[in-house]
Amino acid sequence: MEKGTEFEQKKLMNIELKHGQELANQLRQQFLDTTQTSKETCDFLLTNILSSYEKALSILKSNALKLEHHSPVISMLNSPHSFTSDTSPPSDISDQPHKNVFRKRKAVPQWSEQVQVPLGTGAEGPLADGYSWRKYGQKDILGANFPRAYYRCTYRPSQGCLATKQVQKSDEDSSLHQVTYKGRHTCKQGSELTAGVVVFGKEEKRQKKGSCEPKQEERIQEPKVENIISFGTSLKTEEMERSKEVERLPSFSFPCTILESVYKKDHLFSEDTRENNFIASSYSSYITPETSECSYLSLSPYHMDNFGIAQNLQSSESDLTEILSAPNSVTNSPICDFDISLDPVDFDPSFPLDILEFFK
DNA sequence: TATATTTGACCTGT
DNA sequence: ACAGGTCAAATATA
């Protein structure tokens, strides 16, 4: 169906993106070569870069319109206000009979991991992932042999962090835990939290005694390389669930060096723009190569590593998905993972794959 | 005493 | 009506 046109559009889009990339490289050179840097040149290059990507975007938009009814993601992202409209309006919240309970936040990002606990370690509780969690509930789940435990961030009361997780022991293998994270941390639990080290054997004690604070010896460990965001090549997809739906949220990232330059130029983007950039980038911050719903982990650091590294991104996404209630997003740690959002509107899910070639 | 966990009740979405 | 998710009082622990 209209494959010829689609191909043409992609080709055009690719040309524009390629052009943008070249201009960005030129801009980069300008920054590197301080002797010849002129404001006019930079301005010219930036204008052209933006123009190129604008054109590519408009192509994407026209594509997305066709695909809209096929893609809930695109549909959701289509409106700049859809993040809030997807959730309850504030009045809904205030109208709740019980304080702020049961806010509707369907758009909370959600992802799952399976974590294996070695038998005989005494570790039965949810695994340490570098964050402090407080258990707030447990529920027997239909069809599951084991109850599901509900945790929320310890710093919810103090910092308004709305991250939660659910831990469900596997029916087949009791050493296997399905951990479902919902929302991202907006709290500051210490910068060392980038080290998502799992310490088995201590976990249960930690949970029971409530000392959810990451222990010093856990914190100081280095995050593994593979868990660090690859800034220059962060053109990946992320599998996320939103309200039972697994949706692929495409992302688009510029090489860090370019963006850093652009960003450091400071105020070239407004606060809002930056905010949006973070929003988009946050979708690429939990990068899992898996295409399945869960990423299977065994004794490996979590994606939470990425959270710590890109705390900015976390908070921004929380702004995005929990826009109604995140009272104190953290926006003060400059992190080198600036993904240009290009407005998270109207991305063809196949888009990242196409661009990938250009940024090799 | 402060903080975390447990657990029955309650609320919401389907 | 039911299942899943959350609240909050009671309880446990340091």
Side-chain angles (χ1 to χ4, degrees):
Chain A
M1 44 177 181
E2 296 185 68
K3 285 219 168 172
T5 313
E6 215 172 286
F7 179 76
E8 295 274 319
Q9 286 180 326
K10 277 190 178 178
K11 203 172 165 186
L12 270 175
M13 187 177 69
N14 287 344
I15 290 168
E16 287 301 335
L17 288 170
K18 182 77 178 172
H19 185 223
Q21 187 200 18
E22 283 166 3
L23 292 168
N25 276 324
Q26 286 179 39
L27 181 64
R28 184 190 182 188
Q29 287 304 317
Q30 286 287 319
F31 280 109
L32 290 176
D33 186 1
T34 51
T35 59
Q36 291 187 358
T37 304
S38 78
K39 198 181 173 185
E40 289 74 24
T41 311
C42 292
D43 188 49
F44 173 78
L45 288 170
L46 271 172
T47 306
N48 282 288
I49 290 167
L50 291 173
S51 167
S52 283
Y53 287 119
E54 231 168 70
K55 287 175 192 170
L57 258 183
S58 61
I59 294 168
L60 275 171
K61 279 185 182 179
S62 63
N63 272 341
L65 282 174
K66 297 175 204 163
L67 296 170
E68 192 170 352
H69 64 286
H70 294 302
S71 168
V73 179
I74 288 170
S75 180
M76 181 190 75
L77 296 175
N78 221 355
S79 159
H81 306 295
S82 59
F83 301 119
T84 48
S85 64
D86 199 42
T87 59
S88 297
S91 59
D92 278 7
I93 293 170
S94 58
D95 289 343
Q96 294 287 345
H98 269 282
K99 303 170 194 173
N100 288 337
V101 298
F102 301 117
R103 293 175 188 173
K104 297 173 189 173
R105 274 191 266 112
K106 291 179 181 176
V108 169
Q110 181 177 317
W111 63 101
S112 300
E113 292 172 354
Q114 285 189 346
V115 183
Q116 188 148 31
V117 182
L119 292 170
T121 61
E124 294 168 9
L127 305 168
D129 48 28
Y131 282 93
S132 305
W133 299 99
R134 179 168 178 171
K135 191 174 183 177
Y136 67 88
Q138 183 167 302
K139 190 83 179 176
D140 286 321
I141 300 302
L142 199 72
N145 295 338
F146 303 100
R148 179 176 298 167
Y150 299 87
Y151 297 84
R152 66 164 61 104
C153 179
T154 303
Y155 301 101
R156 176 174 237 180
S158 57
Q159 298 185 39
C161 178
L162 295 170
T164 63
K165 74 171 178 180
Q166 301 174 2
V167 178
Q168 175 78 61
K169 202 187 276 188
S170 168
D171 289 346
E172 297 80 26
D173 184 355
S174 61
S175 68
L176 208 58
H177 291 78
Q178 174 83 32
V179 184
T180 302
Y181 295 92
K182 290 183 179 176
R184 292 177 190 178
H185 288 270
T186 57
C187 61
K188 273 192 162 180
Q189 300 197 9
S191 56
E192 301 87 347
L193 284 164
T194 54
V197 178
V198 180
V199 180
F200 295 103
K202 293 181 178 178
E203 182 51 38
E204 183 175 41
K205 199 170 186 181
R206 283 180 54 184
Q207 291 294 333
K208 283 206 165 172
K209 306 213 169 159
S211 57
C212 290
E213 292 286 344
K215 288 192 168 69
Q216 195 63 32
E217 63 268 24
E218 299 169 34
R219 289 182 172 191
I220 58 178
Q221 299 195 39
E222 296 286 335
K224 289 189 178 175
V225 174
E226 61 263 32
N227 290 284
I228 297 173
I229 296 171
S230 174
F231 295 130
T233 57
S234 58
L235 200 60
K236 304 170 188 174
T237 58
E238 171 192 7
E239 201 71 29
M240 293 172 73
E241 301 168 338
R242 285 184 188 279
S243 306
K244 297 180 183 176
E245 278 185 30
V246 180
E247 299 173 351
R248 186 175 293 279
L249 293 173
S251 63
F252 173 55
S253 310
F254 283 96
C256 176
T257 45
I258 297 171
L259 288 163
E260 192 178 26
S261 301
V262 172
Y263 188 74
K264 279 182 179 171
K265 201 65 182 167
D266 224 349
H267 316 317
L268 283 173
F269 296 121
S270 66
E271 280 297 323
D272 285 346
T273 311
R274 273 192 273 176
E275 199 70 39
N276 288 334
N277 289 342
F278 286 133
I279 286 169
S281 66
S282 59
Y283 282 117
S284 62
S285 62
Y286 303 104
I287 293 150
T288 64
E290 295 81 1
T291 52
S292 63
E293 180 176 333
C294 312
S295 56
Y296 183 89
L297 295 184
S298 180
L299 288 174
S300 64
Y302 296 175
H303 303 298
M304 296 299 249
D305 294 350
N306 296 346
F307 305 173
I309 291 167
Q311 195 165 8
N312 243 340
L313 309 181
Q314 276 183 38
S315 58
S316 301
E317 177 160 15
S318 292
D319 290 346
L320 180 157
T321 57
E322 299 170 12
I323 197 158
L324 296 177
S325 50
N328 59 341
S329 62
V330 181
T331 55
N332 56 350
S333 54
I335 309 279
C336 184
D337 183 25
F338 301 124
D339 301 355
I340 292 292
S341 70
L342 295 178
D343 191 349
V345 181
D346 307 332
F347 271 101
D348 184 332
S350 65
F351 179 50
L353 298 174
D354 291 332
I355 323 176
L356 187 56
E357 293 171 21
F358 292 126
F359 291 95
K360 276 181 183 173

